Amino acid sequence: MGASFSSFTDGSSDSAGPGLGDIPESCVASVFLYLTPPEICNLARLNHAFRGAASSDTVWASKLPSNYRIILQILRHLDTDENISKKDAFILLSRPLPFNGDKALWLDKFTGKVHMLVSARAMKITGIDDRRYWTYISTEESRFNEVAFLQQIWWFEVNGVVSFPFPPGIYTLSFRIHLGKISKRLGRHVTNYEHTHGWDIRPAKFEMWTSNSQQASIECFLDNPQPEGSNGSHRHGCWIEYKVGEFKVSESDHETEVRFSMKQIDCTHSKGGLCVDSVSIAPLELKTT
């Protein structure tokens, strides 16, 4: 049976019946248009026709954003006149690529949609240069290998902005934060809540607005557990993504500017013991599946 299956896949059977090797490469490529990149790469191992179709620019053009060359140039991974196959472009973009020193971008390997992360260092944080209030902590729990930790402050404000030619689609913006000071002890992740206070007195306000007048805002008590599903899984000792809102991009010919903020500026009380990791801008379907 094993020999028969091998003959069927490479089309070298002694029988008169056709095998997979007899399927024209163009037909295989037409089928690949409806498959995900991981599925295409798995099938490419079957025979020569499948390998050829799996390298077709026509196939990979359907998986890449229409402005992928502009994205590569912004990430400084492609010169204007440099030739690169569409398959190689997808492989390059499907892993996180840093740019501007404090951001990262990649394509989802299943959908080809753009996902961006903005690090804490890329944001304007009130009091960040005063070690009485803030400090940076090295950690493996962040893609950027560090987070901003707030010890104590009265006026809490974090602002950021990105300008990028996002491909058409609907995107969601979220803050990734953690109550308590994270560390590692004896190979285990631990959290110290010594400085955590003030987040149950007044809600924090999250805001987002774009250059084409889209905006959204939410208010949340960061230290007030809510039923799961209302805005993430609210538990101590874990990272929480607070979804601020969504915005739509209709065309990629121009850059879309996205501004975002997180505030708790009620100066009647101090607050502290909070880690700020990053802001995520991701396709809506990746956040709902």
Side-chain angles (χ1 to χ4, degrees):
M1 180 178 293
S4 298
F5 181 78
S6 176
S7 298
F8 177 70
T9 58
D10 61 20
S12 60
S13 174
D14 293 332
S15 66
L20 287 179
D22 298 312
I23 301 176
E25 186 176 306
S26 59
C27 292
V28 178
S30 296
V31 174
F32 281 179
L33 293 175
Y34 298 94
L35 303 182
T36 66
E39 290 171 336
I40 293 171
C41 292
N42 285 334
L43 290 173
R45 295 177 292 182
L46 285 178
N47 57 40
H48 179 74
F50 278 65
R51 283 194 297 273
S55 299
S56 167
D57 273 355
T58 302
V59 169
W60 292 99
S62 67
K63 313 304 176 185
L64 286 164
S66 58
N67 63 341
Y68 78 95
R69 291 187 68 86
I70 295 176
I71 293 175
L72 282 172
Q73 290 166 14
I74 292 175
L75 301 180
R76 301 184 185 278
H77 283 273
L78 180 67
D79 295 330
T80 304
D81 58 348
E82 183 180 348
N83 290 321
I84 182 173
S85 72
K86 290 180 172 59
K87 178 181 179 180
D88 288 341
F90 188 93
I91 292 173
L92 177 60
L93 287 170
S94 62
R95 66 174 187 265
L97 297 174
F99 70 105
N100 293 346
D102 48 25
K103 302 179 185 70
L105 180 141
W106 66 94
L107 300 184
D108 177 71
K109 66 180 181 179
F110 291 98
T111 66
K113 303 292 186 179
V114 167
H115 191 153
M116 178 185 290
L117 279 187
V118 183
S119 73
R121 283 194 181 272
M123 304 178 207
K124 183 179 179 181
I125 302 177
T126 300
I128 191 65
D129 295 325
D130 193 328
R131 292 183 63 84
R132 293 176 300 173
Y133 306 130
W134 289 90
T135 185
Y136 284 103
I137 300 175
S138 298
T139 175
E140 298 175 353
E141 297 183 40
S142 170
R143 187 177 294 276
F144 299 100
N145 295 317
E146 67 173 7
V147 298
F149 173 69
L150 171 65
Q151 299 185 86
Q152 178 174 300
I153 205 167
W154 295 82
W155 184 289
F156 173 80
E157 185 170 3
V158 178
N159 294 288
V161 58
V162 295
S163 187
F164 194 82
F166 291 99
I170 300 177
Y171 296 84
T172 179
L173 185 145
S174 306
F175 275 82
R176 185 173 188 255
I177 62 177
H178 189 294
L179 285 178
K181 185 176 184 179
I182 58 176
S183 61
K184 198 171 184 179
R185 183 181 305 160
L186 300 177
R188 299 182 62 184
H189 296 285
V190 296
T191 304
N192 186 321
Y193 298 103
E194 177 184 358
H195 298 285
T196 304
H197 68 283
W199 303 110
D200 57 344
I201 301 175
R202 292 286 187 274
K205 184 174 184 179
F206 300 83
E207 294 180 285
M208 176 209 77
W209 54 100
T210 69
S211 52
N212 58 355
S213 302
Q214 300 178 71
Q215 55 185 332
S217 65
I218 61 168
E219 292 190 1
C220 298
F221 284 92
L222 304 186
D223 199 8
N224 181 28
Q226 302 176 20
E228 187 170 348
S230 58
N231 193 4
S233 178
H234 293 253
R235 301 190 303 271
H236 277 199
C238 64
W239 288 98
I240 307 295
E241 286 202 12
Y242 286 89
K243 177 183 173 181
V244 184
E246 302 166 5
F247 64 94
K248 182 178 181 179
V249 176
S250 299
E251 55 184 40
S252 56
D253 294 338
H254 306 286
E255 292 189 347
T256 299
E257 183 180 87
V258 184
R259 294 182 177 272
F260 45 87
S261 70
M262 175 185 175
K263 303 176 183 177
Q264 214 291 29
I265 55 178
D266 183 345
C267 293
T268 60
H269 66 283
S270 66
K271 63 280 298 180
L274 179 79
C275 291
V276 177
D277 174 32
S278 59
V279 163
S280 166
I281 299 177
L284 178 62
E285 55 262 43
L286 296 186
K287 292 295 184 178
T288 58
T289 56

